[in-house]
Structures are given as C-alpha cells and as structure tokens.
Amino acid sequence: ETGGDNAAVDSKDTTILRFAHFWQATSATHKKVFEPWAKKIEEESNGRLKVEIFPSATLSKADAAYDAAAKGTVDIGSQLQGYTAGRFPLTQITELPGLSNSATQMNCMLQTLYDDGVISSEYEDTHLLFMMGSGPGGIHTVNTPINKPQDLKGLRVRRPSAIAGDIIEAAGGTPVGLPATDVYTSLQRGVLDGLSLPWDAMGSFKLIELANSHTNIPFYSSAMLVTMNKDKYESLPEDMKEVIDNNSGKMMAAMAGKVFDQEDDRFMAEAKAKGDVMIDIPDPLNDPAWKGPLEAGTQKYLADINALGLDGQTVYQKAKEASAACKA
C-alpha cells in the first residue's frame, strides 16, 4: 500500500512543481488530462514530487505560459501554440486543413514530428513534456447549411486562426477575429452568422444552443503543448527525472487525444439529438468543391513560412506522412 509511505516523506524532500494553464477547472483538459497526470507523478515519486496546478490563467496569462516555463516563473506551462503568433511557425503546419480527423490523430502527428526532430528546434529553450491537439474544427452556422465553400458567401464567420481566416476569405466568407468568449452573444445578436471550432469547444462555450447546422470538415486543428522549465528538470535527481520521463511523450499524447475525442463525440451527439443539420466532408483535399480554397489557404501559409527562410514544404510533406501513419 503506497499511500502509507507518503506520510513518511519529509516535507523538505518534496519538490513542488507549479503548473500554469488557461483552461477552466471544470474543463475536461484540467480534470481528465492534467489532474490524473499530476496524481501519477506524485504517486510514482512516492510523494517526492508534487504538482500544484493553477487553472484559468491565474498564474500566467493564456498566451504567456510557454515563456513563463522557459523563464522559470512557472515550472510547467501549457498553452496553444497559436496564442503566440509567429513563435511556432513549423509546428502550426499541423493545423492546416485535411491533416487530421481526430484529436488522437493530431496528437500522434504532433508528437511524432517532435520526436523525429522535425519541429523540435522550436522548443529548445524548455524541456517539452508532451504535445496535445484538438479535434478538427468544423464550420457551425445559424440557419445556413454549408455544403460547399460558395455557401459561405456573404456570411460573417468567426475565424479561429489566421490560416483558417484566409480559407474563409478564399471561399467568399468574411472572417471575423473575435475571442471565443464573445462568440455566443455575437451569434445571438446576429452579428455573426457562424464560426469554426472543434466540438468540445462548441460544448464548453454553449454554442450548440444557437448554431443549428454543422459541417464536419477537418478545416483546422489547434496544436497545444505541455512543457517544463529546463533548469528545474535538470535539477531533479535521476530517479525523479525518470518519473517525469515515464509520463511524457507518446503515451501522454495518446491519453490526451482520447479525452478530447470523447468530448467531441459527446457534444456532437448532443447537437444530433436536438435535430441539427449534419454535413460530413471527411476528406476535403480530395473533394472537388473544397479542394481549391483549402489548397489556396495552405499554400499561402507555407509561402509565408518560406519567406521567413524556413522550409515549410518539407515540414508539410513530413506532416502528411505522420498524419497517414497516425490515422487511427
């Protein structure tokens, strides 16, 4: 019974790791990914490591968790790469349309590209623990079913990222930049006609109450990371580093992917049950109607990266290979 040993550990032998993220304490990310992870670290270290989690951006701003971990103002940080525009350009290639149809596939693709050294140069100032990613963000509208890109003409659609914004524009829609927290009232007032978000976010922001037509298309996905301060990791005794290592990488990426997919399924089922319109376009890059604008948006992003002197085309090719290998 290991529980009894914990009391025997002297408090001065306990290393506290402060973990900052922006998700709410009620979110599946906090409850089903981060809390079980912290508990495992504590148990497997016999109480010598204790992870204190600070949700809701209380310890570091949503877009500053990576830098906070790099600087050591927090020990562990999690955020979306897209929150710091231009900081992880190669990693964000994985967010391009048609590359992943589930969070499990997205997480596996991200972790594979990291492990294979394709995108790892973007994280050298921290000790990366594991990659995560959302399920695909489809297109959700009020009263206008989107079967083909032309159906977006004249609609004001909340863009989740610059890449997705370019694609909405290429299709003839008007992309609107707006925090996810403001989408509900904007839809309610008719200021917005639609939005692009993964199903789990549709559920947590209660947008299923308002949107009634859903196009399930891998329009974009969001990359996410969980990383640790380098010096803090290096300062741990070997056996404690091992506890961290045993709870890093592919295994954790897979666990998080499963949680996000379950959330997506749950909220999609909720929308179906209420009788919403469901349109499925699982392979848009091979769909004659969607191929054009999606490829235009993709090429624009890759051209922007190449302009920075980075080899976007090669990373995109490797992302496609990882995506195929990760197809569950």
Side-chain angles (χ1 to χ4, degrees):
E1 167 61 38
T2 52
D5 302 343
N6 287 4
V9 174
D10 191 337
S11 62
K12 71 173 188 300
D13 297 331
T14 302
T15 302
I16 289 176
L17 301 173
R18 298 162 82 225
F19 181 175
H21 71 77
F22 70 90
W23 283 272
Q24 290 162 312
T26 51
S27 67
T29 309
H30 179 78
K31 290 180 96 89
K32 296 180 182 175
V33 181
F34 295 155
E35 285 193 332
W37 181 79
K39 194 166 180 273
K40 241 171 140 267
I41 298 281
E42 206 169 322
E43 282 171 1
E44 290 176 21
S45 69
N46 281 326
R48 285 168 59 200
L49 294 175
K50 186 170 169 40
V51 181
E52 282 183 3
I53 313 179
F54 297 82
S56 302
T58 46
L59 196 59
S60 114
K61 287 203 181 87
D63 60 357
Y66 183 86
D67 283 332
K71 290 191 190 93
T73 38
V74 306
D75 300 310
I76 299 167
S78 180
Q79 68 165 61
L80 272 64
Q81 279 86 333
Y83 281 179
T84 44
R87 174 65 184 77
F88 304 99
L90 296 177
T91 301
Q92 287 198 262
I93 287 173
T94 61
E95 302 185 354
L96 291 167
L99 283 179
S100 78
N101 272 302
S102 68
T104 297
Q105 188 179 11
M106 178 71 174
N107 289 16
C108 169
M109 171 171 56
L110 278 162
Q111 192 66 49
T112 300
L113 293 171
Y114 179 84
D115 291 347
D116 292 352
V118 180
I119 57 175
S120 53
S121 61
E122 296 187 327
Y123 303 90
E124 279 172 354
D125 51 348
T126 64
H127 176 82
L128 189 93
L129 295 171
F130 59 97
M131 289 288 194
M132 305 192 301
S134 71
I139 302 168
H140 311 272
T141 50
V142 181
N143 302 336
T144 312
I146 308 297
N147 288 288
K148 51 191 190 304
Q150 291 82 335
D151 297 334
L152 287 166
K153 249 198 183 18
L155 297 188
R156 286 153 308 187
V157 182
R158 187 256 177 183
R159 66 177 196 126
S161 66
I163 306 169
D166 288 340
I167 297 165
I168 291 165
E169 212 160 359
T174 304
V176 180
L178 199 66
T181 41
D182 297 349
V183 172
Y184 190 96
T185 46
S186 302
L187 271 183
Q188 214 172 19
R189 298 207 316 266
V191 182
L192 273 186
D193 303 298
L195 65 145
S196 180
L197 272 180
W199 278 106
D200 73 333
M202 287 296 290
S204 54
F205 291 111
K206 308 223 179 311
L207 298 167
I208 296 170
E209 294 174 8
L210 302 174
N212 53 16
S213 179
H214 312 276
T215 304
N216 294 308
I217 177 173
F219 198 63
Y220 85 101
S221 298
S222 290
M224 309 165 194
L225 60 93
V226 180
T227 201
M228 184 170 178
N229 177 265
K230 240 188 168 136
D231 294 337
K232 190 72 173 191
Y233 174 79
E234 290 305 340
S235 75
L236 296 175
E238 286 308 314
D239 57 340
M240 292 298 101
K241 278 187 196 158
E242 209 171 299
V243 170
I244 300 281
D245 298 346
N246 289 342
N247 290 286
S248 296
K250 275 228 161 78
M251 176 204 89
M252 275 311 299
M255 188 270 242
K258 206 173 272 161
V259 169
F260 297 147
D261 283 336
Q262 282 167 350
E263 288 297 287
D264 284 345
D265 291 347
R266 178 161 78 97
F267 291 120
M268 191 196 286
E270 206 173 286
K272 273 188 181 145
K274 117 176 144 61
D276 288 3
V277 175
M278 292 281 172
I279 297 156
D280 291 310
I281 301 157
D283 187 10
L285 296 179
N286 287 310
D287 184 300
W290 287 94
K291 201 176 148 84
L294 295 192
E295 280 183 349
T298 297
Q299 289 313 318
K300 182 182 185 302
Y301 182 69
L302 295 176
D304 289 348
I305 284 189
N306 294 341
L308 301 172
L310 296 165
D311 187 357
Q313 222 57 53
T314 299
V315 176
Y316 184 56
Q317 196 45 51
K318 289 195 153 64
K320 283 206 279 199
E321 287 161 21
S323 157
C326 286
K327 210 169 159 70

